[in-house]
Amino acid sequence: MMKKFIIALALLAGMGSMSVASVGEAPRRKVAKAKTAAPRKKAAVRTSAISSTPKGIIGYLDKWDYIEVKNLNQLTAEIAKANRLAPTVIKSFDTRNPAKTGLSDVEKVAAYGDYLSSYISNSAQYNENTMSMAWGVSLQWKYYEFAATYIYGKIAAKMESDEARAACYNAILGEESFYNFSSALLANLGSLDSYGGSFIAVSYPHQLLSYRKDWINMLVAQYQMLSGQAAGDGKADLLSAWFKIEKQAKKEIAESSEWLPADALADMGLSDVSGSFREGAARGEAALKACGKWLNVIGKSELSSAFEKAADTMLKGWLKTMAGD
């Protein structure tokens, strides 16, 4: 089974795909809703009114409810929304980084996340109390959800035929299925110390933020490869990285078992960690098949190993987050 999961992780490298509706929901704690911003009155969003400032972009993100995409219609709708916000983000990046206007739009959107996160983290209104901190972290997480969706759209836009685009979209759906399941599982593990406390409202979305940032680094690398940039040297060791993550997961649970409520692990979807990892393996294996088809359709099958290296880098980032380094 571990071998299967590694195959799944190779998918990450490629952008795997599968029928998302064919598998169960990702493991979720009952308080998983903490990953969304604090309840706020929603107003109609008009992209023409967005100011190309951190405050303007944050205001737009605050009114934007993201969804976990499970089909093509949802995916294309989310990409369309991301494409409406992206020009404002890129303009804001260019204003603050005149020496870096030569970067691709994908690279600018990814890089702007660090600036926006710093702006939010250093703003008093997001540090007044636990709820305001949760709000700030959730806004940062929303930005990276936007960035991932935007990059998916830019990758799909590089496809030159309907067949290639369909294969690419299918790969993206599978990749998102794997990501959402695995990141929720790891975020629950990373939030064990906050279980039952008010800080869970901050801890859980913060974990998701960390995992999405590493994921976006992988997507940027994939986009660069598809654009003809060097893929880099080195050989991925996905199996080793995954074994370390599973080992760390079991260690986190063992260390928390003395004080966790009896039903806590079940509540968080962690009562059967090995089974959860196998579920992720199944999603990844199915995604890998679609990934291989996509790369073959666009004549880029030789990129498979390079994509695996990108996935390996992402997995090591996940492990580093879990270990608290």
Side-chain angles (χ1 to χ4, degrees), residues 3 5-6 12 32 40 45 55 70 79 81 93 100 109 152 156 162 178 197 219 225 228 234-235 240 256-257 293 319:
K3 182 177 180 181
F5 194 87
I6 273 337
L12 291 181
R40 311 184 70 77
V45 178
K55 185 176 181 180
K70 297 182 179 181
I79 289 175
K81 287 161 59 178
F93 177 91
K100 297 183 178 180
V109 166
Y152 284 140
D162 290 342
F178 176 85
L219 295 184
M225 293 173 203
K235 183 178 181 180
S240 175
S256 303
S257 61
K293 179 178 180 180
L319 178 61

Short mmCIF file of all heavy atoms in Angstrom, two decimals, residues 3 5-6 12 32 40 45 55 70 79 81 93 100 109 152 156 162 178 197 219 225 228 234-235 240 256-257 293 319:
data_model
loop_
_atom_site.label_atom_id
_atom_site.label_comp_id
_atom_site.label_asym_id
_atom_site.label_seq_id
_atom_site.Cartn_x
_atom_site.Cartn_y
_atom_site.Cartn_z
N LYS A 3 3.61 1.52 -1.39
CA LYS A 3 4.07 1.68 -2.76
C LYS A 3 3.02 2.39 -3.58
O LYS A 3 3.31 3.26 -4.40
CB LYS A 3 4.39 0.32 -3.36
CG LYS A 3 4.93 0.41 -4.79
CD LYS A 3 5.31 -0.95 -5.30
CE LYS A 3 5.86 -0.89 -6.72
NZ LYS A 3 6.21 -2.21 -7.23
N PHE A 5 0.87 4.50 -2.48
CA PHE A 5 0.78 5.91 -2.15
C PHE A 5 1.90 6.68 -2.80
O PHE A 5 1.74 7.83 -3.19
CB PHE A 5 0.82 6.14 -0.64
CG PHE A 5 0.39 7.52 -0.34
CD1 PHE A 5 -0.95 7.80 -0.19
CD2 PHE A 5 1.30 8.53 -0.28
CE1 PHE A 5 -1.36 9.09 0.04
CE2 PHE A 5 0.88 9.82 -0.05
CZ PHE A 5 -0.45 10.09 0.12
N ILE A 6 3.06 6.05 -2.90
CA ILE A 6 4.16 6.74 -3.55
C ILE A 6 3.82 6.99 -5.00
O ILE A 6 4.13 8.01 -5.56
CB ILE A 6 5.44 5.92 -3.41
CG1 ILE A 6 6.07 6.30 -2.10
CG2 ILE A 6 6.38 6.20 -4.49
CD1 ILE A 6 5.66 7.61 -1.60
N LEU A 12 1.33 13.82 -7.71
CA LEU A 12 1.47 15.19 -7.25
C LEU A 12 2.44 15.87 -8.15
O LEU A 12 2.29 17.00 -8.56
CB LEU A 12 2.07 15.24 -5.85
CG LEU A 12 1.17 14.73 -4.78
CD1 LEU A 12 1.84 14.85 -3.47
CD2 LEU A 12 -0.09 15.50 -4.82
N ALA A 32 -13.54 22.06 11.68
CA ALA A 32 -12.80 22.41 10.47
C ALA A 32 -13.27 23.70 9.85
O ALA A 32 -12.58 24.31 9.07
CB ALA A 32 -12.90 21.29 9.44
N ARG A 40 -19.02 37.12 8.44
CA ARG A 40 -19.10 38.55 8.12
C ARG A 40 -20.23 38.74 7.12
O ARG A 40 -20.55 37.88 6.33
CB ARG A 40 -17.79 39.05 7.52
CG ARG A 40 -16.57 38.63 8.34
CD ARG A 40 -15.32 39.23 7.75
NE ARG A 40 -15.27 40.65 7.95
CZ ARG A 40 -14.96 41.21 9.12
NH1 ARG A 40 -14.73 40.46 10.16
NH2 ARG A 40 -14.89 42.51 9.23
N VAL A 45 -19.58 41.58 -4.86
CA VAL A 45 -18.19 41.84 -5.20
C VAL A 45 -18.10 42.39 -6.62
O VAL A 45 -18.57 41.77 -7.56
CB VAL A 45 -17.35 40.54 -5.09
CG1 VAL A 45 -15.93 40.81 -5.50
CG2 VAL A 45 -17.42 39.99 -3.67
N LYS A 55 -5.01 46.49 1.19
CA LYS A 55 -6.32 46.66 1.82
C LYS A 55 -7.44 46.34 0.83
O LYS A 55 -8.43 45.69 1.18
CB LYS A 55 -6.47 48.09 2.34
CG LYS A 55 -7.76 48.32 3.11
CD LYS A 55 -7.82 49.72 3.69
CE LYS A 55 -9.10 49.94 4.48
NZ LYS A 55 -9.16 51.31 5.06
N LYS A 70 -15.02 19.90 -7.04
CA LYS A 70 -15.19 18.47 -7.22
C LYS A 70 -15.60 18.09 -8.65
O LYS A 70 -15.75 16.92 -8.95
CB LYS A 70 -16.23 17.94 -6.24
CG LYS A 70 -15.82 18.11 -4.78
CD LYS A 70 -16.86 17.53 -3.84
CE LYS A 70 -16.42 17.67 -2.40
NZ LYS A 70 -17.41 17.11 -1.46
N ILE A 79 -11.75 29.26 -11.55
CA ILE A 79 -10.67 29.84 -12.34
C ILE A 79 -11.09 31.19 -12.89
O ILE A 79 -10.30 32.15 -12.92
CB ILE A 79 -10.26 28.88 -13.48
CG1 ILE A 79 -9.52 27.66 -12.89
CG2 ILE A 79 -9.37 29.59 -14.50
CD1 ILE A 79 -9.18 26.60 -13.92
N LYS A 81 -13.17 33.28 -11.55
CA LYS A 81 -13.12 34.24 -10.44
C LYS A 81 -11.68 34.65 -10.15
O LYS A 81 -11.40 35.83 -9.91
CB LYS A 81 -13.74 33.60 -9.20
CG LYS A 81 -15.26 33.50 -9.26
CD LYS A 81 -15.80 32.48 -8.28
CE LYS A 81 -15.46 32.77 -6.84
NZ LYS A 81 -16.07 31.78 -5.92
N PHE A 93 1.76 44.04 -7.32
CA PHE A 93 3.12 43.49 -7.26
C PHE A 93 4.08 44.36 -8.04
O PHE A 93 5.17 44.70 -7.56
CB PHE A 93 3.14 42.06 -7.81
CG PHE A 93 4.52 41.46 -7.85
CD1 PHE A 93 5.00 40.73 -6.77
CD2 PHE A 93 5.34 41.62 -8.96
CE1 PHE A 93 6.28 40.19 -6.79
CE2 PHE A 93 6.63 41.08 -8.98
CZ PHE A 93 7.09 40.36 -7.90
N LYS A 100 11.26 43.70 -10.75
CA LYS A 100 10.88 42.31 -11.00
C LYS A 100 9.69 42.18 -11.94
O LYS A 100 9.02 41.16 -11.97
CB LYS A 100 10.56 41.61 -9.68
CG LYS A 100 11.75 41.53 -8.73
CD LYS A 100 11.38 40.77 -7.46
CE LYS A 100 12.58 40.64 -6.53
NZ LYS A 100 12.24 39.90 -5.29
N VAL A 109 2.06 36.34 -8.85
CA VAL A 109 0.95 35.99 -7.97
C VAL A 109 1.44 35.16 -6.79
O VAL A 109 1.03 35.37 -5.65
CB VAL A 109 -0.15 35.24 -8.75
CG1 VAL A 109 -1.14 34.58 -7.80
CG2 VAL A 109 -0.88 36.21 -9.69
N TYR A 152 -3.61 27.02 -11.76
CA TYR A 152 -4.26 25.94 -12.50
C TYR A 152 -4.80 26.46 -13.83
O TYR A 152 -4.66 25.82 -14.88
CB TYR A 152 -5.43 25.36 -11.70
CG TYR A 152 -5.03 24.46 -10.55
CD1 TYR A 152 -5.72 24.52 -9.34
CD2 TYR A 152 -4.00 23.53 -10.68
CE1 TYR A 152 -5.39 23.68 -8.28
CE2 TYR A 152 -3.66 22.70 -9.62
CZ TYR A 152 -4.35 22.78 -8.43
OH TYR A 152 -4.02 21.95 -7.39
N ALA A 156 -3.72 25.31 -17.63
CA ALA A 156 -4.70 24.82 -18.60
C ALA A 156 -4.70 25.67 -19.87
O ALA A 156 -4.90 25.16 -20.98
CB ALA A 156 -6.10 24.81 -17.98
N ASP A 162 -8.49 20.97 -27.49
CA ASP A 162 -9.55 20.63 -26.54
C ASP A 162 -9.20 19.34 -25.81
O ASP A 162 -9.48 19.20 -24.61
CB ASP A 162 -10.88 20.47 -27.28
CG ASP A 162 -11.42 21.79 -27.81
OD1 ASP A 162 -10.97 22.84 -27.32
OD2 ASP A 162 -12.29 21.76 -28.70
N PHE A 178 -6.61 14.85 -4.10
CA PHE A 178 -5.53 14.38 -3.23
C PHE A 178 -5.11 15.46 -2.24
O PHE A 178 -4.96 15.21 -1.05
CB PHE A 178 -4.32 13.94 -4.05
CG PHE A 178 -3.16 13.55 -3.18
CD1 PHE A 178 -3.08 12.27 -2.66
CD2 PHE A 178 -2.20 14.47 -2.82
CE1 PHE A 178 -2.04 11.92 -1.81
CE2 PHE A 178 -1.16 14.12 -1.97
CZ PHE A 178 -1.08 12.85 -1.46
N GLY A 197 -9.50 23.81 22.59
CA GLY A 197 -9.20 25.17 23.04
C GLY A 197 -9.59 26.19 22.00
O GLY A 197 -9.80 25.87 20.83
N LEU A 219 3.38 23.93 -7.88
CA LEU A 219 2.66 24.34 -9.08
C LEU A 219 3.47 25.32 -9.92
O LEU A 219 3.46 25.26 -11.15
CB LEU A 219 1.31 24.96 -8.71
CG LEU A 219 0.29 24.03 -8.04
CD1 LEU A 219 -1.02 24.80 -7.82
CD2 LEU A 219 0.04 22.79 -8.87
N MET A 225 8.26 24.41 -15.90
CA MET A 225 8.67 23.30 -16.75
C MET A 225 7.88 23.30 -18.06
O MET A 225 8.45 23.11 -19.14
CB MET A 225 8.44 21.98 -16.02
CG MET A 225 9.33 21.76 -14.82
SD MET A 225 8.81 20.26 -13.93
CE MET A 225 9.47 20.60 -12.30
N GLY A 228 9.12 25.61 -20.57
CA GLY A 228 10.43 25.34 -21.15
C GLY A 228 11.61 25.68 -20.27
O GLY A 228 12.75 25.60 -20.71
N GLY A 234 18.65 16.23 -9.74
CA GLY A 234 18.32 15.48 -8.53
C GLY A 234 17.23 14.46 -8.77
O GLY A 234 16.43 14.58 -9.69
N LYS A 235 17.20 13.45 -7.92
CA LYS A 235 16.21 12.40 -8.04
C LYS A 235 15.27 12.42 -6.85
O LYS A 235 15.69 12.51 -5.71
CB LYS A 235 16.91 11.04 -8.12
CG LYS A 235 15.95 9.87 -8.33
CD LYS A 235 16.72 8.56 -8.46
CE LYS A 235 15.77 7.40 -8.68
NZ LYS A 235 16.50 6.11 -8.80
N SER A 240 10.52 7.67 0.65
CA SER A 240 11.17 8.03 1.90
C SER A 240 10.46 9.21 2.57
O SER A 240 10.22 9.20 3.78
CB SER A 240 12.64 8.40 1.64
OG SER A 240 13.26 8.87 2.82
N SER A 256 0.00 12.87 22.10
CA SER A 256 -1.21 13.58 22.51
C SER A 256 -2.22 12.67 23.20
O SER A 256 -3.22 13.15 23.75
CB SER A 256 -1.88 14.22 21.29
OG SER A 256 -1.00 15.08 20.62
N SER A 257 -1.97 11.37 23.20
CA SER A 257 -2.97 10.41 23.67
C SER A 257 -3.30 10.55 25.16
O SER A 257 -4.38 10.17 25.60
CB SER A 257 -2.50 8.99 23.38
OG SER A 257 -1.28 8.71 24.06
N LYS A 293 -1.76 10.33 -18.74
CA LYS A 293 -2.50 10.57 -19.98
C LYS A 293 -2.33 12.00 -20.44
O LYS A 293 -2.10 12.27 -21.63
CB LYS A 293 -3.98 10.27 -19.78
CG LYS A 293 -4.83 10.52 -21.02
CD LYS A 293 -6.29 10.17 -20.79
CE LYS A 293 -7.11 10.45 -22.05
NZ LYS A 293 -8.55 10.11 -21.85
N LEU A 319 6.46 17.84 5.64
CA LEU A 319 7.09 17.17 6.78
C LEU A 319 7.72 18.19 7.72
O LEU A 319 7.61 18.09 8.95
CB LEU A 319 8.16 16.19 6.28
CG LEU A 319 8.95 15.45 7.36
CD1 LEU A 319 8.03 14.61 8.23
CD2 LEU A 319 10.03 14.59 6.72
#
